[in-house]
Amino acid sequence: MRAAVTTRYGRPEVVEVRDVPTPTPADNEVLVRVRASSVCFGDRILRSGPLLIRLLSGFRPRHSILGVDLAGTVETVGPGVKRFAPGDAVYGARGDKFAAHAEFACVAEDGFLARKPATMTFEEAGTVFVGAACSLYFLRRANVKPGERVLVHGASGSLGVFAVQLAKHFGAHVTAICSSVNVSLVRSLGADDVIDYTAQDFTDGGPVHDVIVDVLGKAGFPRSLRALKPGGRYLLVGFSGGLWGIARALVTGGVVHLRGRARFVTGAADPKQADLVFLQELIDAGKLRTVIGRRYGLDEIAEAHRYADTGHKIGNVAVLIGDQTEHPRAVPVHLRPDVLSSPEPR
């Protein structure tokens, strides 16, 4: 099979498409013919290899094939698999095992795998898991209640677009922060208010928010406290800084948390298989959609990484692998305008 292989750390050019052996599913695994995936933050970090990653993973990438999100059709199943059969249309993720940037990938039956939403194409379903499952995990940890005010910083990115929609689903009043070019997009996702960070400081309104979702820490902490009510919840979803920036955020966040000024929530997301079913139901009900800023073929994987590295991507970066048409066993797709992705011309 063909796969995007990374044997050394570096710039996007280190990712090369090669022929590698097709994996064989274990007793409890499903072999998925991957139709679509995405380039997420984790892919970029493991490829580029900052100091922390090299200390944890070694001098060469631990995962030679990257890719977390996936959508496709079941090719074969292990003898112990009961929930899936060849031809089923599925979506989900490889989680921290990666290896979805390939024509085939194995996923455990009890892992991150579920029926593909009927209202989504493979391309759309292949960009859901990382952004939606991580946003869902942190919003649940914040225990968002109806009527609360939630601020989402980075609302037009891969996690932000789902955080806006999920916070609205939980009944919150959502204020989204993005650049001027993305204001219409985040409004279409359901944001009640939008702040253009190029023209307005989100802290100007004072401590009016119950929850702040800070994607990759770009809003900044403890600066964000100026916009957070006393005792509110600050969600640091991922880190974009180096070791010093991470340490500083954790120490200051811990102090603030212990003093009771705010509840500081961070760490690795811990999604469950049931989350995929929950997301599938929201998607098919027209309450959740993905946003795809750009899409690339597998042979363009280096260019996909290059675009993601700009730090200004809109929504998700889709990676299309193989045939995108539905398999006869798949549920027919009936797309509605409210569940279509929002493409950006390349």
Side-chain angles (χ1 to χ4, degrees), residues 81-146:
V81 173
K82 305 298 182 184
R83 294 178 52 237
F84 301 100
D88 287 343
V90 294
Y91 87 125
R94 285 274 301 172
D96 58 7
K97 296 179 181 179
F98 291 83
H101 290 166
E103 292 179 321
F104 295 94
C106 290
V107 185
E109 180 184 26
D110 59 354
F112 300 128
L113 197 67
R115 305 283 178 178
K116 181 179 73 66
T119 52
M120 276 189 168
T121 62
F122 287 120
E123 175 183 327
E124 293 168 326
T127 63
V128 169
F129 179 83
V130 170
C134 288
S135 296
L136 178 63
Y137 172 80
F138 279 95
L139 288 171
R140 281 178 169 166
R141 290 216 31 206
N143 192 25
V144 175
K145 299 179 178 64

